[in-house]
């Protein structure tokens, strides 16, 4: 019996070391290499611009539409709660603070992971499976500088912009429902929002969050693609892992960042 | 070391994890020649090609390319040497997001400062050499397997390499494309003054075009000689390989329990 328990613990330990800790170490070395190779990729910035188009611009529709609906739902739910306390004028504050502090970075990050992160993993994984990365290396071109780094920086640049647009669209959605549909006073909606939302404490912290999520999601996406086994099954598994790991990372990082940024408030 | 050899492989041993793939391989590739490395699938010949290209590092031994020990070069020196090496991958490995033209122009744009008008002329000349100047604007998805292989060949000769590495260049091609690729390998080698290593299991095509053959089996060089010597060889496994006999020293059946026992097993 003791033998079997020990055996089980050994197997569990081996699994954790080989599949998690070892991979985390590998991912950290990969990030370091990518940062070192970023200078050559910046010299060809058109490559990063092209990836910003694929990762950022093509994500605009889903981000804007989701932002609008999240804002409209916040308007409805917020009004329903606030009106019970006779403070429906504070709807603008509720909608804007929820969005810029939390929902903007988090939901935009989750959408970005599903829309752009999965695409980045699948593309790099398929390039590896079809030997395009090996071909590049044989042509004396470093795929980390040429393929990986531009995608990484495109994600890092796009994510805060997408989160900001998500929040802006959400505020507009809240306005549509709260002011136009329900009839909350327009002056109170905007003026209370303006008075309550602090640039450094709320907006800047939201931007920092979305930047951190951008780094996390894109790092996971490029690493999973580069590390994917070069088979159809391998690429599909890597794509799934990107979405799952990124989503969990966003939620965990959000808790840590919120605890650091808003403690004592 | 004789200077007339462009590639020298000395006592090379290589393993993937704990599985030994190559054992004490020795071979030389003289300048200007087309040399085939033949053998069954899984005998380690593609691994050997990757070692020669510096994509893998041997456990033991030395690989010299143009006098430099490729497995001891640092990153920059390896990349500098690779600019003089062209490699054709098994299925072409064309960049799928670029047209044929841009694929061929890729290395010129990456490694030279040539003006775009000059690059255009060079690319068209390379594509003309493989007969696909008319397909310059097509995307890889619009090319047949044989055409894609030829565009990839044009791409690999973009910088006029001194050494060409071919990884299974005949796999999956129709007879006409196969003949075209075979002729191109010979013709390009001779007209560029290059040296070529062709890894293949396509015996008939390879014996027609190469100068010298290394036959590998289970990670070792079992036989070497000219195509005539290969055809006349008495080594049983080589004879089975050359004449495509289904059974012989290389068994038809993968190792398994006795057939009757397996069928009647509960």
């Amino acid at each position: 019996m003791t033998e079997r328990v020990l055996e089980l613990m050994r197997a569990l330990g081996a699994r954790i070391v080989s599949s998690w800790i070892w991979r985390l170490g590998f991912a950290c070395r990969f990030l370091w290499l990518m940062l070192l190779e970023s200078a050559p990729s910046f010299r060809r910035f058109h490559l990063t611009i092209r990836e910003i188009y694929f990762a950022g611009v093509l994500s605009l529709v889903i981000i804007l539409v989701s932002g609008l609906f999240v804002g409209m739902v916040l308007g409805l739910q917020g009004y329903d709660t606030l009106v019970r306390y006779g403070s429906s004028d504070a709807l603008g504050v509720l909608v804007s603070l929820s969005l810029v502090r939390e929902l903007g970075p988090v939901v935009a990050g989750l959408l970005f992971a599903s829309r752009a992160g999965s695409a980045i993993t699948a593309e790099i994984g398929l390039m590896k499976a079809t030997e395009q990365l090996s071909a590049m290396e044989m042509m004396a071109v470093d795929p980390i500088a040429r393929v990986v780094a531009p995608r990484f920086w495109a994600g890092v640049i796009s994510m805060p912009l997408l989160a900001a647009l998500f929040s802006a669209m959400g505020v507009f959605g809240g306005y549509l429902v709260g002011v136009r549909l329900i009839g909350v006073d327009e002056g109170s909606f905007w003026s209370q929002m303006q008075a309550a939302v602090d640039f450094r404490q709320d907006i800047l912290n939201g931007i920092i969050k979305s930047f951190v999520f951008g780094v996390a999601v894109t790092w996971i996406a490029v690493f999973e693609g580069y590390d994917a086994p070069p088979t159809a099954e391998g690429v599909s598994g890597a794509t799934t892992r990107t979405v799952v790991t990124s989503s969990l990372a966003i939620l965990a990082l959000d808790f840590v960042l919120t605890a650091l940024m808003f403690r004592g408030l | 070391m004789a200077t007339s050899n462009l590639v020298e492989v000395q006592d090379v041993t290589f393993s993937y994890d704990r599985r030994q793939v190559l054992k004490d391989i020795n071979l030389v590739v003289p300048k200007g020649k087309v040399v085939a490395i033949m053998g069954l699938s899984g005998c380690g010949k593609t691994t050997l090609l990757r070692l020669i290209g510096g994509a893998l590092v041997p456990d033991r031994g030395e690989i010299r390319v143009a006098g430099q020990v490729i497995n001891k070069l640092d990153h920059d020196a390896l990349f500098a040497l690779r600019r003089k090496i062209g490699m054709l991958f098994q299925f072409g490995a064309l960049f799928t997001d670029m047209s044929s033209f841009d694929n061929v122009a890729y290395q010129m744009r990456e490694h030279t400062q040539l003006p775009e008008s000059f690059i255009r002329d060079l690319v068209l000349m390379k594509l003309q050499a493989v007969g696909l100047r008319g397909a310059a604007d097509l995307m890889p998805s619009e090319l047949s397997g044989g055409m894609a292989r030829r565009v990839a060949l044009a791409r690999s000769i973009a910088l006029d390499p001194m050494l060409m590495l071919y990884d299974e260049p005949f796999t999956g091609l129709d007879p006409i494309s196969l003949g075209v690729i075979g002729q191109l390998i010979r013709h390009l080698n001779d007209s560029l003054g290059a040296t070529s290593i062709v890894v293949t299991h396509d015996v008939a095509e390879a014996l027609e075009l190469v100068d010298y053959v290394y036959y590998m089996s289970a990670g070792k060089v079992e036989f070497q000689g000219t195509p005539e010597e290969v055809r006349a060889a008495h080594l049983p496994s080589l004879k089975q390989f050359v004449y495509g006999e289904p059974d012989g020293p290389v068994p038809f059946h993968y190792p398994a329990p006795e057939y009757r026992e397996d069928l009647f097993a509960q």
Side-chain angles (χ1 to χ4, degrees), chain B residues 2-232:
Chain B
T3 50
S4 60
N5 293 328
L6 189 67
V7 178
E8 296 191 342
V9 177
Q10 289 172 346
D11 303 322
V12 162
T13 297
F14 179 81
S15 314
Y16 283 114
D17 295 326
R18 286 181 203 147
R19 191 169 57 89
Q20 197 170 53
V21 182
L22 299 175
K23 291 164 211 157
D24 295 321
I25 298 280
N26 282 288
L27 59 85
V28 294
V29 180
K31 267 185 193 157
K33 301 289 184 194
V34 180
V35 171
I37 300 173
M38 300 209 290
L40 297 169
S41 304
C43 73
K45 53 192 191 305
T46 297
T47 304
L48 181 57
L49 198 70
R50 285 173 185 263
L51 284 163
I52 294 170
L56 298 171
V57 179
D59 303 339
R60 241 190 12 246
E62 232 178 48
I63 296 161
R64 283 179 185 274
V65 177
Q68 299 186 68
V69 182
I70 199 161
N71 50 309
K72 295 204 174 125
L73 295 179
D74 62 19
H75 181 271
D76 292 345
L78 177 64
F79 271 30
L81 183 59
R82 277 186 183 163
R83 292 186 191 191
K84 299 177 202 161
I85 300 175
M87 181 157 178
L88 179 66
F89 283 80
Q90 191 168 356
F91 294 104
L94 288 175
F95 301 130
T96 41
D97 57 344
M98 296 178 194
S99 66
S100 304
F101 183 96
D102 291 331
N103 263 285
V104 180
Y106 186 80
Q107 258 183 306
M108 299 175 193
R109 288 174 179 152
E110 286 287 328
H111 295 315
T112 71
Q113 304 292 324
L114 295 173
E116 197 58 31
S117 61
F118 203 76
I119 287 178
R120 182 180 175 276
D121 293 346
L122 282 175
V123 171
L124 292 181
M125 284 159 72
K126 301 293 175 192
L127 284 171
Q128 174 75 9
V130 297
L132 288 177
R133 188 166 43 83
D137 295 328
L138 296 184
M139 297 300 283
S141 56
E142 298 170 296
L143 301 171
S144 70
M147 287 163 81
R149 207 74 58 89
R150 279 149 71 188
V151 172
L153 184 52
R155 182 180 70 175
S156 60
I157 58 166
L159 296 182
D160 294 343
M162 63 174 179
L163 174 65
M164 276 298 303
L165 307 175
Y166 296 93
D167 184 10
E168 304 281 10
F170 308 117
T171 305
L173 294 184
D174 62 75
I176 299 173
S177 305
L178 198 141
V180 168
I181 292 283
Q183 277 183 9
L184 281 172
I185 290 174
R186 183 80 245 181
H187 173 71
L188 292 173
N189 187 75
D190 297 346
S191 57
L192 291 173
T195 305
S196 301
I197 302 176
V198 185
V199 157
T200 181
H201 47 230
D202 197 303
V203 181
E205 195 59 41
L207 291 183
E208 286 301 314
L209 78 101
V210 304
D211 300 307
Y212 202 76
V213 174
Y214 286 93
Y215 171 71
M216 285 178 65
S217 175
K220 286 182 181 165
V221 174
E222 291 272 336
F223 185 88
Q224 54 177 293
T226 59
E228 292 71 35
E229 287 167 339
V230 170
R231 286 195 188 95

Side-chain angles (χ1 to χ4, degrees), chain A residues 156-238:
Chain A
V156 172
I157 294 167
S158 302
M159 186 51 224
L161 297 173
L162 290 173
L165 284 170
F166 184 96
S167 297
M169 206 62 193
V171 169
F172 180 64
Y175 163 79
L176 279 184
V177 167
V179 176
R180 293 281 157 197
L181 189 72
I182 300 174
V184 173
D185 181 62
E186 188 168 358
S188 313
F189 184 88
W190 292 117
S191 64
Q192 291 213 18
M193 187 189 298
Q194 203 172 3
V197 178
D198 182 63
F199 177 74
R200 207 198 67 77
Q201 181 65 26
D202 300 316
I203 295 181
L204 198 64
N205 278 341
I207 292 172
I208 292 171
K209 272 189 181 180
S210 55
F211 173 77
V212 173
F213 298 161
V215 172
V217 170
T218 330
W219 175 23
I220 291 168
V222 290
F223 174 70
E224 287 290 357
Y226 201 77
D227 191 44
T231 58
E233 197 184 12
V235 176
S236 92

